[in-house]
Amino acid sequence: MLASILALAVLARLVAMHVLHEPIVSDAAAYLEMARTLAGPGPMRDTYGNAAFYSPGYPFVLAGAYALGVTGLAAAQAINLFLGLISTLLMYLVTRRASGRPFAALVAATAYAVLIPAVAGTAFVQRENLSVPLLLLFILCVIELARTRRPNSVAAITGMVYGAGLLAGASIILTVAAAIVAMLWRKSDLRAAATAAATFVAGAALVVTPWLAHVDHELGRPVLTTNGPFNLYVGNNPAADGRFVSLRDTPIGAAWHGLRAQEGELGATDQLGRLAVAHIRAHPVETVALSLKKLVLFWLPDLPDNADTDHGAAINALRWLDVVQYLLLAGLGLVAILRWRTRSQGERLVIITLGAFWAIHAVAYVMPRYRLPALPLLAVLAAGVITPHSRRPAEPRPLAAEA
């Protein structure tokens, strides 16, 4: 059955790649240029000449295809197809470890195999294609971390996966809370927990440090990306409304290009960060209200618009099916959260991860595709709700014990 589900996931994504087309502009063009320059002889740069504005994880993976002679959109789609297959398999593994029920795992994998945003995303150049499997792998490691008899080894691996997730997109930064909770839930003394935490940090540092050293060499300071202050300003300025607002529509819009030319990549984005902090300090009540609005916007259904209608009846119907899928997952996920006391330890860790991923989006701004990594987590929880069991499922044994 799992093999059939994986085949379904591949087939659905091949159809999406054949049917869906989107111009290679903005972020997509930047990621492809980063991959091209990384695979070439010169330093990695995006289409705007930036060294570290976009998260580097996705271009790192794309560069592998470029090195093999597959370039452009074809490289991205080939990588995306592989990542979609891996994500579907991880859905099965995460749900089975979290719930202890193989049937629930099959349901969750099937849900992700046909999840329209994930299927459609395969056709596009977007970093969420990598963020999803890394987040699922992180959760799988966290669940094992709470149970294993080898906490230091698992903590190191969990840290490495977390570090890779940071390189793919800093929006997972707060999910470290799940790893902390997993270590606290272990029946061990404080010294053992501290040792596991140290190995987690070491694992993350092992992955992230080379990139930070590269950015330090290129820009003069080790930062994960330079777009953090940029996003903070876009989400916190007099024109901010909770969603993406073009920089040209903000107070600094007319002066941005001059500032960028004068101060450089790091200096210009640092200035945006200072303006955002000044705005937050000057308008604390409005900032809190806007942050709460962002948290609500994060979960609002992405309803079809006139652009979807213009693409024809089939696309419009799929967009409405997307809404139905989302509402179903969100509703069942909410049921699982409200039934916290009846959830297994693994499912509780999934809920904590979901909450941490959601919380960070109160800081900057919200776009529909930013929610994509959260949808598989809802599917894991939903599968646990709809698959019947006569009693609370027993916790699966640690993998180390099974070995």
Side-chain angles (χ1 to χ4, degrees):
M1 289 184 68
L2 179 58
S4 299
I5 294 168
L6 295 175
L8 174 63
V10 171
L11 178 60
R13 284 156 177 78
L14 288 173
V15 172
M17 289 159 54
H18 177 72
V19 173
L20 299 177
H21 304 282
E22 187 176 59
I24 305 298
V25 297
S26 189
D27 292 11
Y31 287 131
L32 291 179
E33 180 64 10
M34 291 170 73
R36 186 191 69 80
T37 53
L38 179 61
M44 183 170 70
R45 292 290 187 271
D46 62 28
T47 46
Y48 307 100
N50 297 312
F53 187 78
Y54 290 92
S55 297
Y58 189 50
F60 284 166
V61 177
L62 294 181
Y66 271 73
L68 296 175
V70 183
T71 63
L73 181 60
Q77 290 184 337
I79 293 295
N80 292 347
L81 183 62
F82 174 74
L83 293 174
L85 180 65
I86 295 299
S87 297
T88 307
L89 177 60
L90 283 170
M91 284 292 293
Y92 174 84
L93 296 175
V94 169
T95 309
R96 182 155 187 172
R97 295 301 294 171
S99 69
R101 284 173 280 159
F103 183 65
L106 291 172
V107 170
T110 302
Y112 186 77
V114 297
L115 184 66
I116 289 177
V119 172
T122 308
F124 306 136
V125 185
Q126 57 186 39
R127 69 168 181 82
E128 283 76 15
N129 287 297
L130 178 61
S131 294
V132 167
L134 286 176
L135 184 56
L136 289 172
L137 183 57
F138 172 74
I139 294 171
L140 186 62
C141 291
V142 166
I143 293 172
E144 184 61 19
L145 181 59
R147 303 168 181 169
T148 183
R149 296 175 182 176
R150 301 175 180 174
N152 293 335
S153 299
V154 176
I157 295 171
T158 307
M160 293 172 67
V161 175
Y162 177 73
L166 286 176
L167 293 181
S171 58
I172 63 100
I173 191 168
L174 294 185
T175 61
V176 69
I180 295 172
V181 170
M183 286 184 276
L184 292 176
W185 279 353
R186 293 185 54 80
K187 296 180 180 179
S188 58
D189 57 33
L190 184 60
R191 178 178 296 181
T195 302
T199 56
F200 174 89
V201 172
L206 182 66
V207 175
V208 174
T209 298
W211 170 250
L212 295 179
H214 166 76
V215 176
D216 184 37
H217 177 265
E218 293 291 317
L219 301 179
R221 194 171 79 234
V223 295
L224 197 61
T225 67
T226 57
N227 77 348
F230 180 97
N231 288 338
L232 185 66
Y233 177 76
V234 170
N236 297 276
N237 70 82
D241 63 3
R243 298 192 184 276
F244 177 75
V245 176
S246 176
L247 200 63
R248 63 175 174 267
D249 296 325
T250 67
I252 202 174
W256 167 246
H257 291 293
L259 178 65
R260 174 67 176 81
Q262 179 180 353
E263 300 292 337
E265 176 183 347
L266 190 59
T269 53
D270 281 349
Q271 177 63 15
L272 290 182
R274 288 190 288 269
L275 290 173
V277 171
H279 177 81
I280 291 170
R281 288 176 174 174
H283 305 88
V285 176
E286 294 87 342
T287 297
V288 171
L290 184 59
S291 295
L292 294 175
K293 178 183 177 182
K294 295 169 191 174
L295 293 177
V296 173
L297 289 174
F298 183 87
W299 293 115
L300 288 184
D302 182 23
L303 299 176
D305 54 21
N306 292 334
D308 296 304
T309 303
D310 294 340
H311 281 90
I315 296 297
N316 194 47
L318 285 173
R319 287 286 290 108
W320 279 109
L321 179 59
D322 173 16
V323 173
V324 172
Q325 280 185 334
Y326 169 70
L327 291 176
L328 182 61
L329 289 181
L332 292 172
L334 179 60
V335 170
I337 294 169
L338 294 176
R339 295 179 180 176
W340 168 271
R341 296 183 61 183
T342 67
R343 297 298 94 196
S344 69
Q345 183 188 69
E347 289 171 316
R348 291 178 182 181
L349 289 170
V350 173
I351 293 172
I352 292 170
T353 306
L354 178 63
F357 181 80
W358 172 42
I360 194 63
H361 289 85
V363 176
Y365 58 90
V366 175
M367 293 179 68
R369 68 179 174 86
Y370 289 177
R371 188 171 59 207
L372 178 55
L375 298 184
L377 310 191
L378 288 177
V380 171
L381 298 175
V385 169
I386 65 176
T387 52
H389 55 83
S390 57
R391 58 183 178 84
R392 181 173 174 172
E395 300 291 349
R397 294 176 297 168
L399 292 176
E402 293 176 358

